């Protein structure tokens, strides 16, 4: 892997983009353009922060996050792939393996409208093949502009069909979970992951009174986080995804995680653009699929 210094001389853009280590051997990209600032770790192609000018931070990142190769960052936008959630073989990592390895930085470019585009990729390796027997390439395109746009292109380069479940597992920063409502899920069916994946129907907006962990089915509408603790809405739209995961670990579960800052559950909610449950994707040999997510902030 290239060092932060080598990446800086190859990809740095004066005044807008710099690359430096946030922990030894752990490079991250800092973008500061006319629209926003953003941080992206090469480990996991993990967007850690996105803050449009004049706004508060949009993504939640745990103060106790651990920046260590092989450990997923708690907060920001982890990429869960090629499986979402725990694997039936409990010795394999939850949420797949690409959030746990360094990706390659392919491109950083200023676009015509002065947004910044960052492209990272990864593919099969001896290690990935020991966990999952398929050749693949994954490419994540991130555009930092008036909105934050992520597009994850997956390609099955093996000779066998494979089934993928995945998620852009975004953690959003909110003022107060008890005063937060999620819109855009009304009337949808969901699988309750806290109750053996039993099926239910969402009535009205989603509100939080305890741990919540659900896969919403047929979720194609724009989701809106209405945050009573702040005068802004966050809007999340998607493509290539017919399911969304909504998660807040509440007190006991967040307390059991060593990298989840104390009390942090009050200030975060996950809405994940996913291909989960029956929305799993069958990729034939040479098949491709792109999962996309766009995040924008509106002041009220
Ligand atoms: C969510 C799942 O997507 O991720 C939860 O629905 C899980 O069940 C959560 O607890 C966090 O997972 P992890 O592996 O990052 O602790």
């Amino acid at each position: 892997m290239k060092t932060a210094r080598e990446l800086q001389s190859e990809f740095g853009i004066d005044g807008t983009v710099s690359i430096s280590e946030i922990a030894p051997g752990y490079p991250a990209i800092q973008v500061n353009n006319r629209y926003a600032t953003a941080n992206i770790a090469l480990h996991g192609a993990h967007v850690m922060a996105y803050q449009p000018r004049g706004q508060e931070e949009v993504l939640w990142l745990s103060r106790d996050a651990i920046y260590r190769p092989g450990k997923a960052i708690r907060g920001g936008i982890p990429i869960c792939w090629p499986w979402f959630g725990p694997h039936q073989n409990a010795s394999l990592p939850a949420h797949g393996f690409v959030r746990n390895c360094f990706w390659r930085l392919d491109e950083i470019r200023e676009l015509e409208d002065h947004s910044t585009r960052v492209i990272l990729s990864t593919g099969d390796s001896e290690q990935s093949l020991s966990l999952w027997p398929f050749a693949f390439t994954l490419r994540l395109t991130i555009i930092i502009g008036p909105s934050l746009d992520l597009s994850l292109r997956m390609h099955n380069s093996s000779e066998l069909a494979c089934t993928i479940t995945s998620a852009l597992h975004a953690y959003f920063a909110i003022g107060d979970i008890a005063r937060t409502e999620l819109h855009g899920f009304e009337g949808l069916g969901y699988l309750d992951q806290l109750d053996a994946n039993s099926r239910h129907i969402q009535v009205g907006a989603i509100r939080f009174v305890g741990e919540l962990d659900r896969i919403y089915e047929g979720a194609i509408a724009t989701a809106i986080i209405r945050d009573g603790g702040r005068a802004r809405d966050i809007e999340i739209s998607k493509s290539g995804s017919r399911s969304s995961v909504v998660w807040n670990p509440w007190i006991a579960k967040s307390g059991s995680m060593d990298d989840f800052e104390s009390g942090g559950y009050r200030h975060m909610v996950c809405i994940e653009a996913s291909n989960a449950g029956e929305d799993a994707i069958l990729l034939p040999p040479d098949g491709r699929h792109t999962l996309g997510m766009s995040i924008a902030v509106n002041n009220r």
Side-chain angles (χ1 to χ4, degrees):
M1 199 181 83
K2 292 177 181 161
T3 64
R5 191 184 286 251
E6 287 164 342
L7 293 166
Q8 168 65 24
S9 68
E10 193 173 341
F11 295 102
I13 302 176
D14 268 353
T16 318
V17 176
S18 63
I19 295 131
S20 58
E21 288 190 340
I22 53 171
Y26 201 103
I29 305 159
Q30 290 83 38
V31 176
N32 184 351
N33 64 24
R34 66 167 67 171
Y35 300 109
T37 58
N39 297 332
I40 303 159
L42 270 71
H43 189 268
H46 201 125
V47 180
M48 298 163 60
Y50 170 67
Q51 185 167 12
R53 297 225 164 269
Q55 304 278 349
E56 289 179 76
E57 176 56 53
V58 173
L59 300 176
W60 180 85
L61 178 66
S62 172
R63 270 197 296 271
D64 296 337
I66 296 167
Y67 303 108
R68 189 177 67 218
K71 167 90 181 160
I73 300 168
R74 179 68 59 195
I77 313 183
I79 297 177
C80 306
W81 196 96
W83 58 86
F84 171 81
H87 196 279
Q88 46 200 15
N89 172 353
S91 69
L92 296 179
H95 288 327
F97 48 82
V98 301
R99 64 177 182 160
N100 299 332
C101 61
F102 287 104
W103 290 43
R104 193 179 58 236
L105 177 55
D106 291 335
E107 179 190 287
I108 304 183
R109 175 172 300 188
E110 185 174 314
L111 303 180
E112 235 169 72
D113 72 346
H114 304 287
S115 295
T116 306
R117 182 172 74 196
V118 178
I119 301 180
L120 299 122
S121 63
T122 189
D124 53 280
S125 62
E126 212 171 293
Q127 204 201 352
S128 79
L129 291 167
S130 72
L131 301 170
W132 192 64
F134 299 95
F136 69 94
T137 52
L138 264 189
R139 191 177 77 177
L140 181 71
T141 302
I142 305 162
I143 298 181
I144 298 112
S147 57
L148 173 67
D149 299 339
L150 271 69
S151 167
L152 179 68
R153 198 188 71 174
M154 35 197 107
H155 177 220
N156 176 6
S157 44
S158 73
E159 277 157 22
L160 297 169
C162 61
T163 300
I164 306 283
T165 52
S166 66
L168 300 170
H169 187 316
Y171 288 72
F172 293 97
I174 52 172
D176 181 2
I177 189 72
R179 296 172 63 200
T180 292
E181 287 183 351
L182 310 184
H183 295 267
F185 300 91
E186 294 83 352
L188 295 183
Y190 66 82
L191 304 178
D192 187 346
Q193 300 204 87
L194 300 176
D195 181 26
N197 280 331
S198 55
R199 272 207 161 76
H200 305 263
I201 300 286
Q202 178 64 38
V203 179
I206 303 175
R207 298 186 182 83
F208 297 84
V209 290
E211 185 180 357
L212 188 144
D213 191 351
R214 299 175 180 169
I215 300 174
Y216 281 85
E217 302 177 301
I220 49 174
T222 296
I224 297 172
I225 303 176
R226 178 141 295 179
D227 178 355
R230 287 187 186 160
R232 73 173 187 193
D233 289 342
I234 300 174
E235 288 192 6
I236 301 126
S237 49
K238 309 186 297 166
S239 55
S241 160
R242 303 184 61 81
S243 56
S244 290
V245 178
V246 177
W247 180 57
N248 181 289
W250 216 251
I251 301 166
K253 183 150 195 193
S254 64
S256 72
M257 299 181 203
D258 56 351
D259 57 353
F260 208 108
E261 75 186 55
S262 168
Y265 79 94
R266 287 179 205 209
H267 305 298
M268 57 69 67
V269 65
C270 288
I271 299 185
E272 311 170 30
S274 64
N275 292 125
E278 288 179 5
D279 186 26
I281 300 292
L282 179 70
L283 280 185
D286 201 35
R288 291 179 168 78
H289 176 72
T290 301
L291 173 63
M293 184 181 214
S294 177
I295 298 167
V297 176
N298 284 326
N299 290 321
R300 281 200 304 273

